[in-house]
């Protein structure tokens, strides 16, 4: 799948610190510690509605991580999937009387525009499920062959069967989220699971492959009933195909901790006999609106494309997102945008002078903030202090505003 144009990333003198990141699996802030090339997988959109600020927060967060890794001297291979065939997409297309492929194509196109406007570095591999059917089918066949997958008769016809994963086959099941069974059961149905499906060995076993139903897309593949992929197996198959096991970071919103990242990892271990699936699991806290998680299914959305159409500067949107720490839940309010726009104006004024106060310290501070579990609010405050100093007292360091502007661009993706 085509991704979107890459922004220019300026050079910053010196090198950044090795980034530290909170790992959900161990519950600790740890060094990401990749090899020369960091391998990163971030769960992409299900393209049935436009990008809202929660999605944008997730992709901007992992964009800052990628920038921190690059600043610390790593190359980065970044993979993102697109869930371009799944129940929510098919249901929305059916509700609106549109073709599911057209709906997906339109929403992916809008997502590309939003990401470009927000200055997000595109993935090196932007991979849809529809173009990964063979890889998914192979993974499902392997799980069947090893006994980790089993058939469950479809309710509609005795002839067909869906395929499910037997989670009891992997003793490490639960080690990504560290949740109790009660916690898992409490959310499973709300997050795409079907705990009450008759014939499953365990209510928590996830769907791997859904046999063809009337009116639903399906693919004929060898060794499986005609059908389509379940959700979690797509990310396992795509990650293994493009990155292999023990890749450095799997990211996404905290709504993916369970079941999605737990199941993806369980499947990866069962398929390869190796562990871990990802070395670090990082999660963006949920962004809300009016007291509830912003979500396409609830419809309480603030869309990036709508803000852009209203003339909002995408860099102000980006600054509003960066002003929140990624591990703290927050709710969108319009005054956050006003604050961000004011900040952008004051930075633009300060950074447009030829000479200003020295920037060595603020550059160092930006680097230590982003490397410290992506402390973007701390980074913004450091720039605020420099901008105030520049406006109040000026400075004689020729070229320093340019160095800071390039650092902001490289590390935070903020173009002033
Ligand atoms: N296609 C799957 C992942 S494989 C999916 O969750 N798609 S999504 O469109 O629902 O979400 C896209 C990304 O945005 C995911 O990483 C998800 O965790 C994240 N996300 C969704 N809602 C929010 C929110 N309110 N706040 C922060 N992140 C969110
Ligand atoms: Zn995913």
């Amino acid at each position: 799948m085509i991704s979107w144009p890459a922004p220019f990333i300026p050079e910053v003198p010196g090198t950044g610190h090795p980034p530290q990141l909170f790992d959900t699996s161990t519950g600790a802030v740890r060094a990401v510690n990749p090899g020369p090339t960091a391998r990163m997988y971030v769960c992409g959109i299900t393209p049935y509605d436009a990008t809202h600020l929660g999605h944008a927060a997730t992709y901007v967060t992992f964009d800052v991580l990628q920038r921190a890794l690059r600043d610390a001297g790593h190359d980065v291979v970044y993979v993102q999937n697109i869930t371009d065939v799944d129940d929510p997409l098919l249901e929305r297309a059916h509700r609106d009387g549109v073709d599911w492929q057209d709906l997906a194509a339109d929403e992916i196109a809008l997502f590309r525009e939003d990401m470009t406007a927000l200055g997000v570095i595109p993935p090196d591999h932007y991979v849809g499920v529809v173009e990964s059917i063979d890889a998914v089918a192979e993974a499902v066949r392997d799980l069947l062959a090893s006994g980790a997958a089993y058939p469950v008769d479809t309710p509609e016809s005795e002839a067909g069967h869906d395929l499910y994963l037997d989670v009891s086959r992997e003793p490490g099941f639960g080690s990504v989220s560290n949740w109790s069974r009660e916690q898992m059961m409490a959310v499973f149905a709300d997050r795409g699971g079907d705990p009450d499906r008759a014939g499953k060995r365990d209510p928590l076993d996830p769907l791997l492959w859904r046999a063809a139903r009337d009116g639903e897309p399906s693919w004929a593949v060898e060794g499986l009933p005609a059908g389509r992929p379940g959700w979690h197996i797509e990310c396992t198959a795509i990650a293994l195909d493009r990155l292999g096991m023990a890749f450095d970071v799997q990211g996404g919103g905290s709504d993916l901790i369970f079941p999605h990242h737990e199941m993806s990892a369980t499947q990866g271990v069962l398929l390869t006999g190796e562990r871990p699936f990802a070395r670090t699991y990082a999660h963006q806290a949920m962004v809300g609106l009016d007291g509830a998680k912003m979500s396409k299914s609830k419809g309480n959305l603030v869309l990036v494309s709508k803000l852009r159409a209203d003339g909002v500067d995408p860099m102000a949107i980006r600054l509003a997102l960066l002003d929140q720490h990624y591990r703290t839940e927050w709710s969108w309010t319009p005054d956050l945008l006003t604050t961000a726009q004011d900040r952008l104006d004051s930075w633009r004024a300060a950074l447009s002078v030829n000479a200003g106060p020295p920037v060595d310290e603020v550059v160092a501070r930006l680097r230590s903030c982003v490397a410290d579990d992506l402390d973007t609010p701390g980074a913004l405050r450091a720039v605020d202090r420099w901008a105030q100093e520049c406006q109040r007292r000026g400075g004689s360091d020729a070229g320093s505003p340019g160095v800071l502007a390039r650092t902001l661009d490289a590390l935070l993706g903020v173009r002033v």
Side-chain angles (χ1 to χ4, degrees):
M1 192 82 72
I2 327 163
S3 56
W4 56 89
F8 174 74
I9 305 173
E11 294 269 335
V12 182
T15 310
H17 311 285
Q20 307 257 327
L21 199 59
F22 182 83
D23 169 39
T24 302
S25 169
T26 50
V29 175
R30 302 182 317 167
V32 179
N33 211 11
T37 300
R39 294 172 295 156
M40 191 164 118
Y41 185 103
V42 177
C43 283
I45 56 164
T46 307
Y48 70 91
D49 208 336
T51 322
H52 61 61
L53 287 166
H55 304 134
T58 289
Y59 299 115
V60 166
T61 288
F62 290 100
D63 187 56
V64 174
L65 175 62
Q66 155 144 220
R67 288 164 185 275
L69 287 163
R70 286 175 177 235
D71 188 49
H74 299 281
D75 291 328
V76 178
V77 180
Y78 178 24
V79 181
Q80 191 179 122
N81 68 304
I82 311 157
T83 308
D84 55 2
V85 56
D86 199 12
D87 296 347
L89 171 69
L90 300 174
E91 283 159 16
R92 179 63 63 91
H94 181 74
R95 187 197 82 178
D96 295 351
V98 294
D99 181 87
W100 64 275
Q101 284 159 304
D102 293 342
L103 175 61
D106 289 351
E107 296 304 347
I108 294 166
L110 191 57
F111 179 72
R112 289 189 186 106
E113 280 177 27
D114 288 338
M115 292 298 107
T116 307
L118 291 173
V120 172
I121 301 171
D124 302 284
H125 303 274
Y126 192 41
V127 191
V129 182
V130 170
E131 58 191 0
S132 307
I133 300 291
D134 287 345
V136 173
E138 190 181 336
V140 176
R141 278 195 300 269
D142 287 355
L143 290 167
L144 257 180
S146 72
Y150 62 94
V152 173
D153 288 345
T154 59
E156 291 87 352
S157 102
E158 327 64 75
H161 57 265
D162 301 324
L163 296 166
Y164 280 81
L165 179 78
D166 184 341
V167 293
S168 73
R169 290 296 182 117
E170 159 49 355
F173 173 70
S175 60
V176 172
S177 62
N178 294 302
W179 285 14
S180 67
R181 212 180 144 83
E182 289 66 40
Q183 286 174 295
M184 293 178 179
M185 285 297 287
V187 305
F188 189 59
D190 274 347
R191 297 185 182 176
D194 53 358
D196 301 326
R197 172 74 187 267
K200 290 207 300 181
R201 293 179 187 165
D202 183 321
L204 291 174
D205 287 348
L207 176 73
L208 288 169
W209 187 259
R210 179 174 160 90
R213 309 286 203 277
D214 280 351
E216 289 186 14
S218 64
W219 286 263
V221 293
E222 215 182 298
L224 299 177
R228 62 178 165 97
W231 174 26
H232 317 301
I233 192 68
E234 84 189 54
C235 285
T236 311
I238 295 170
L240 289 184
D241 192 35
R242 307 295 167 130
L243 298 174
M245 285 296 275
F247 58 92
D248 295 291
V249 178
Q250 181 167 30
S254 60
D255 57 339
L256 300 185
I257 295 172
F258 188 88
H260 186 56
H261 287 174
E262 192 73 67
M263 299 303 182
S264 312
T266 299
Q267 290 159 173
V269 172
L270 284 167
L271 280 165
T272 62
E274 295 166 25
R275 35 171 78 83
F277 181 60
R279 286 147 45 100
T280 297
Y281 296 90
H283 295 104
Q284 160 72 44
M286 287 295 102
V287 177
L289 183 70
D290 302 331
K293 170 192 163 185
M294 204 178 275
S295 78
K296 289 178 285 203
S297 51
K298 287 202 198 80
N300 60 335
L301 308 175
V302 177
L303 303 179
V304 174
S305 47
K306 171 77 169 63
L307 293 176
R308 291 197 293 118
D310 291 346
V312 175
D313 185 332
M315 285 301 117
I317 304 174
R318 185 159 176 130
L319 267 189
L321 299 173
L322 294 172
D323 201 12
Q324 311 292 328
H325 190 257
Y326 81 98
R327 282 208 283 134
T328 307
E329 287 191 3
W330 56 281
S331 270
W332 177 262
T333 53
D335 59 303
L336 294 176
L337 198 53
T338 314
T339 306
Q341 187 63 59
D342 290 348
R343 175 177 256 150
L344 193 59
D345 293 344
S346 84
W347 288 9
R348 280 184 173 146
L351 288 164
S352 62
V353 298
N354 289 324
V359 288
D360 288 1
E361 256 177 51
V362 60
V363 169
R365 180 88 192 120
L366 284 182
R367 280 195 159 122
S368 57
C369 283
V370 292
D372 177 14
D373 197 24
L374 310 180
D375 177 13
T376 54
L380 302 199
R381 285 195 300 272
V383 181
D384 287 343
R385 286 192 292 274
W386 182 91
Q388 275 158 17
E389 168 85 8
C390 184
Q391 301 245 273
R392 277 194 205 131
R393 280 188 278 279
S396 55
D397 207 339
S400 71
V403 172
L404 182 53
R406 290 193 287 282
T407 307
L408 275 176
D409 191 352
L411 288 184
L412 296 176
V414 175
R415 292 185 299 265
V416 288

